[in-house]
Amino acid sequence: MFESIISIDEYRQRRQRLRDRITPASALVMGAPAPDDRAPFRQYNEFCYLCGVLVPQSYLFIDGRDGKTTLFLPGSAHQSRERNDKLLFADDPETAMAVTGVDAVSHREQLAGALAGGQELYILLHDGEGLQCDVRSITDARRQSADDPWDGRPDRGTYLAEKLRRACPGISLHDLAPVLLEMRLIKSPTEIDLLREAGRLAAEGVRDAMRATKPGVMEYELAALLQYRYLAGGALDYSYAPIVAAGKNIVDPHYCANRCELRNGDLVLVDCAPDYHYYTSDITRIWPVNGVYTEEQRTLYGFVTEYHKALLAAIRPGRTCADIEDEVAAHMETRLGEFQFATPAQYAAVQRMLQSRNHIAHSVGMSVHDGLGHKTGPLQPGMVFAVDPQLWLKEENLYIRVEDTGVVTESGFDVFTADITLDLDEIEMICEGVKA
């Protein structure tokens, strides 16, 4: 009913920070819809971030006029009788206030009265980040719905906006999502602890997958091992659709069908992470299905791995992503002679990678793509993001990515996913069943 690992005081501080950013406007944040009675409920990140309440069909109102926060909940009579979750109800406001630290608790039916007066209001103008979702995937789903001549239905954010305009004439609506993404950019110590555990679980899952890899294994079998590791570690599920791509499937960076057989001589790419108390991670490793890299695989993957290590070592507060990537690209240019690439096309692909400036990729937090604000200025302690240099060579069905997630500290970069090695010899040992 409540995500209690984050303290009530931290939830209060988040709501205060939001008020400071939008005053004199107000904010109305919708919770996630009720799931099918046999499906797990997963609250929207945006709603959970501000109050931690895990109750379907709830609303949080932060009044810009007096600063008061009111939680609007369904009554017990409106909850499914098929579920046995211990929920908060509007019928028991004292308990809900004590657990959450909000100023007031009311029935959802009373929300219209709080909104009266034609005020400025921030809301989510799209669906919230729910199970295995982030802003990017939500935007893509909206586009696909709009492109379908037999669909085009509004999402929940759009529908709420339409209802608000009808119910509250004169109201002025603004998008809350950019404000919350900016707030989520710097993580608190508690958030960093959760992200570190999510990273540890992600690394453990990859190790399990390495040990289970052999010719004849199916991609979905490795995905199942990863899911088991996450569930056993206290996670709700995957935080995004798992990518287990073998052979030619590697070329699609977001392949997630996971239906193919692993074959001798191929590589397998795994990109997967847990949804751990509403926080996640991001990790990618590539290893040989038969447990031994060929010389060609070792050269290409080895170069990308060395590039990755150099990026990790160069990250520290006060530097910009562009400066770091310029420095590391220049450094790796001097090391090209150490690697004997098999074809001119592979060498050209490496050169293209050196020219790219998108290897310090995306923020990570409650979602795997938690915004891109770390690229707009100097890095600050508490920023968490993925580092994932990528090499493309489609004409040879080659795509190589090495990815880790970590946090900027006062002196450098603390990698959350470091429990799984980057060393190619050690990866081969793990694949052989030798502890490494």
Side-chain angles (χ1 to χ4, degrees):
M1 67 178 180
F2 183 72
E3 186 52 71
S4 58
I5 292 181
I6 303 294
S7 70
I8 292 176
D9 284 343
E10 185 161 335
Y11 286 123
R12 286 195 182 108
Q13 290 166 13
R14 291 173 178 179
R15 295 193 292 267
Q16 182 60 55
R17 287 166 53 209
L18 176 58
R19 284 197 295 267
D20 292 344
R21 282 166 169 78
I22 66 173
T23 299
S26 300
L28 176 65
V29 191
M30 63 179 177
D36 178 274
D37 284 333
R38 290 165 180 81
F41 173 70
R42 208 281 188 185
Q43 185 59 276
Y44 285 160
N45 286 336
E46 297 89 346
F47 192 86
C48 189
Y49 181 78
L50 291 171
C51 67
V53 173
L54 308 182
V55 178
Q57 309 288 164
S58 301
Y59 299 85
L60 185 74
F61 180 61
I62 300 175
D63 197 327
R65 296 164 294 192
D66 58 12
K68 182 178 178 181
T69 297
T70 303
L71 181 62
F72 290 90
L73 296 172
S76 56
H78 296 292
Q79 289 296 332
S80 170
R81 290 167 175 77
E82 297 295 324
R83 304 185 70 87
N84 58 8
D85 311 57
K86 293 182 178 179
L87 299 179
L88 298 172
F89 300 117
D91 313 64
D92 184 6
E94 291 79 13
T95 297
M97 290 170 63
V99 169
T100 65
V102 298
D103 301 308
V105 172
S106 294
H107 287 264
R108 292 174 305 188
E109 291 75 12
Q110 297 172 329
L111 176 57
L115 296 173
Q119 58 190 295
E120 280 193 278
L121 186 66
Y122 280 80
I123 67 168
L124 295 175
L125 293 175
H126 53 67
D127 285 344
E129 296 173 345
L131 185 65
Q132 299 185 12
C133 285
D134 58 24
V135 169
R136 191 166 76 177
S137 62
I138 292 165
T139 301
D140 187 58
R142 289 180 72 181
R143 177 190 58 78
Q144 292 188 57
S145 175
D147 288 346
D148 182 349
W150 301 102
D151 194 345
R153 66 194 184 284
D155 58 26
R156 294 189 72 229
T158 302
Y159 186 70
L160 176 62
E162 292 171 353
K163 293 199 75 169
L164 287 168
R165 291 187 180 105
R166 289 196 302 267
C168 309
I171 201 165
S172 177
L173 299 179
H174 308 279
D175 191 5
L176 181 62
V179 182
L180 289 179
L181 286 174
E182 189 271 333
M183 287 176 57
R184 285 159 52 180
L185 184 60
I186 305 295
K187 272 61 176 182
S188 71
T190 302
E191 289 181 294
I192 290 169
D193 288 344
L194 290 167
L195 287 158
R196 181 174 286 109
E197 180 60 14
R200 188 193 69 79
L201 279 175
E204 287 292 325
V206 169
R207 182 182 287 106
D208 289 348
M210 286 179 176
R211 288 172 175 160
T213 297
K214 62 182 179 181
V217 169
M218 302 298 290
E219 291 169 339
Y220 57 75
E221 293 183 272
L222 298 188
L225 275 175
L226 290 155
Q227 185 182 42
Y228 171 78
R229 170 60 63 184
Y230 301 161
L231 296 175
L236 176 66
D237 205 335
Y238 308 115
S239 65
Y240 52 92
I243 299 169
V244 182
K248 62 179 175 33
N249 297 330
I250 287 178
V251 180
D252 181 353
H254 292 110
Y255 167 86
C256 58
N258 302 339
R259 305 301 300 174
C260 292
E261 181 180 335
L262 277 60
R263 299 186 181 279
N264 188 38
D266 284 344
L267 294 170
V268 59
L269 177 153
V270 168
D271 181 344
C272 191
D275 185 344
Y276 183 76
H277 291 277
Y278 287 80
Y279 287 84
T280 187
S281 192
D282 207 1
I283 185 172
T284 303
R285 295 290 188 272
I286 298 177
W287 59 91
V289 170
N290 62 15
V292 180
Y293 293 102
T294 67
E295 284 305 312
E296 182 176 339
Q297 292 167 351
R298 180 174 281 273
T299 297
L300 286 168
Y301 190 63
F303 183 84
V304 178
T305 299
E306 289 303 307
Y307 197 163
H308 179 75
K309 292 178 185 177
L311 285 168
L312 297 178
I315 296 169
R316 56 184 178 273
R319 304 199 69 188
T320 66
C321 294
D323 287 343
I324 292 167
E325 293 190 296
D326 285 346
E327 174 188 292
V328 172
H331 166 69
M332 292 305 296
E333 186 85 38
T334 68
R335 295 189 57 188
L336 283 173
E338 302 173 27
F339 300 85
Q340 301 301 312
F341 300 105
T343 66
Q346 291 179 10
Y347 183 81
V350 169
Q351 290 284 3
R352 289 194 298 271
M353 187 180 75
L354 291 174
Q355 293 163 14
S356 173
R357 293 295 180 269
N358 193 35
H359 303 310
I360 301 178
H362 54 83
S363 297
V364 177
M366 298 187 84
S367 70
V368 72
H369 296 103
D370 220 34
L372 294 171
H374 67 283
K375 294 189 175 184
T376 61
L379 296 177
Q380 301 175 52
M383 288 182 173
V384 174
F385 47 78
V387 178
D388 65 339
Q390 303 172 55
L391 182 148
W392 296 82
L393 185 55
K394 291 187 177 180
E395 54 266 42
E396 293 187 16
N397 286 324
L398 281 174
Y399 171 70
I400 295 176
R401 177 167 82 246
V402 185
E403 185 170 28
D404 282 294
T405 298
V407 62
V408 179
T409 67
E410 295 293 339
S411 58
F413 193 63
D414 180 10
V415 180
F416 297 149
T417 46
D419 281 356
I420 187 64
T421 185
L422 291 165
D423 183 85
L424 276 66
D425 292 335
E426 292 180 2
I427 289 173
E428 290 182 344
M429 290 173 62
I430 293 171
C431 292
E432 292 172 8
V434 179
K435 187 173 181 180

